[in-house]
Amino acid sequence: QVQLVESGGGLVQAGGSLRLSCAASGRTFSTYAMGWFRQAPGKEREFAATISGNGGYTYYGDSVKGRFTISRDNAKNTVYLQINSLKPEDTAVYYCAARYDGGGVYYIETLYNFWGRGTQVTVSS
């Protein structure tokens, strides 16, 4: 069982930056692929970014490419999402997720085994 706790969300002006963190419990963090998803009000949850267990592979959703960067620190059991050039349409609850298979990257949410409760990001124009 893995518990995930997101942090770092908040209210920010358009054009600003945020770094979200997701802290994971457990001793085998490096064996999990990690992903970030987001859900805007009234919309379905959307894939943002994913990273393999050793950090060697990353993959991004089309809507965030070039502005979002996913990274991880396995020594700290933490995955990060750096968000730059924030836009009002980035307003959403951001969730991190973990999948047992750390060898790949995964953009389909049903492939993930564990989810955090999310952190709210609100971007004002």
Side-chain angles (χ1 to χ4, degrees):
Q1 190 78 6
V2 174
Q3 293 185 334
L4 304 172
V5 179
E6 301 95 336
S7 62
L11 174 64
V12 63
Q13 288 189 333
S17 298
L18 278 177
R19 188 176 80 156
L20 307 182
S21 299
C22 173
S25 64
R27 301 180 182 179
T28 58
F29 181 66
S30 63
T31 65
Y32 290 84
M34 300 297 295
W36 283 97
F37 292 76
R38 64 182 183 178
Q39 188 166 20
K43 295 187 177 181
E44 293 187 352
R45 193 151 55 185
E46 173 191 30
F47 165 73
T50 178
I51 189 167
S52 60
N54 65 3
Y57 298 98
T58 58
Y59 184 72
Y60 297 91
D62 288 341
S63 62
V64 308
K65 280 180 183 176
R67 297 189 301 119
F68 287 26
T69 302
I70 189 171
S71 62
R72 66 192 296 160
D73 185 339
N74 287 342
K76 296 183 178 179
N77 279 17
T78 302
V79 63
Y80 304 98
L81 186 68
Q82 178 70 39
I83 309 175
N84 297 327
S85 302
L86 277 156
K87 306 175 182 180
E89 51 264 43
D90 292 322
T91 294
V93 177
Y94 284 71
Y95 299 91
C96 75
R99 173 176 165 82
Y100 283 124
D101 180 4
V105 290
Y106 306 92
Y107 61 89
I108 300 174
E109 63 176 276
T110 55
L111 294 178
Y112 284 85
N113 306 104
F114 304 102
W115 291 82
R117 294 187 175 184
T119 185
Q120 176 71 47
V121 172
T122 303
V123 184
S124 63
S125 56

